Amino acid sequence: MQVSLEGFEQKFVTLTGANCSVGAPVKVGTGLKALNCSAGNAFLGVCTAVDDTLATVQVAGYASVPYSGTQPGVGYQALSADGAGGVQLDSGGRSYWVMEIDGKAMTIKILL
């Protein structure tokens, strides 16, 4: 047996548009369109799938996202989008629980 949070409380929404990248934090635009975030944006969730017309966005649960800049610590961290498909520490950002950090891959696992 091993410790795992995969699948914990995961929730997804399907939005219009193919304007997001898989693995990137996304926001919602006019017409319920999934959009990649600009630097400093609050994010709704993480894009998990995209095709020509629709995008699936994970809005709750345990998710992996890349980070840039200063490595976040474990525990509650204020985060925002970094504008390059990841997240960054941001004192004005929304608070997320960082569960795991992979400094080599520059990814964190958070609870959305």
Side-chain angles (χ1 to χ4, degrees), residues 7 9 15 22 44 49-50 53-54 71 87 95 99 111:
E9 294 285 326
L15 301 173
V22 172
L44 169 69
V50 64
T53 59
L54 299 172
Q71 178 177 296
V87 299
S95 188
M99 301 292 290
L111 289 179

Side-chain angles (χ1 to χ4, degrees), residues 2-90:
Q2 65 184 28
V3 174
S4 175
L5 294 175
E6 299 296 325
F8 174 76
E9 294 285 326
Q10 286 185 334
K11 295 180 183 178
F12 301 85
V13 296
T14 302
L15 301 173
T16 63
N19 301 307
C20 64
S21 304
V22 172
V26 297
K27 61 185 178 181
V28 178
T30 304
L32 294 177
K33 188 176 287 187
L35 303 170
N36 282 330
C37 290
S38 299
N41 285 161
F43 56 97
L44 169 69
V46 178
C47 181
T48 59
V50 64
D51 65 19
D52 293 337
T53 59
L54 299 172
T56 302
V57 178
Q58 182 181 351
V59 296
Y62 191 61
S64 179
V65 290
Y67 71 86
S68 63
T70 303
Q71 178 177 296
V74 171
Y76 280 109
Q77 300 290 323
L79 304 172
S80 67
D82 66 6
V87 299
Q88 62 189 354
L89 288 172
D90 180 344

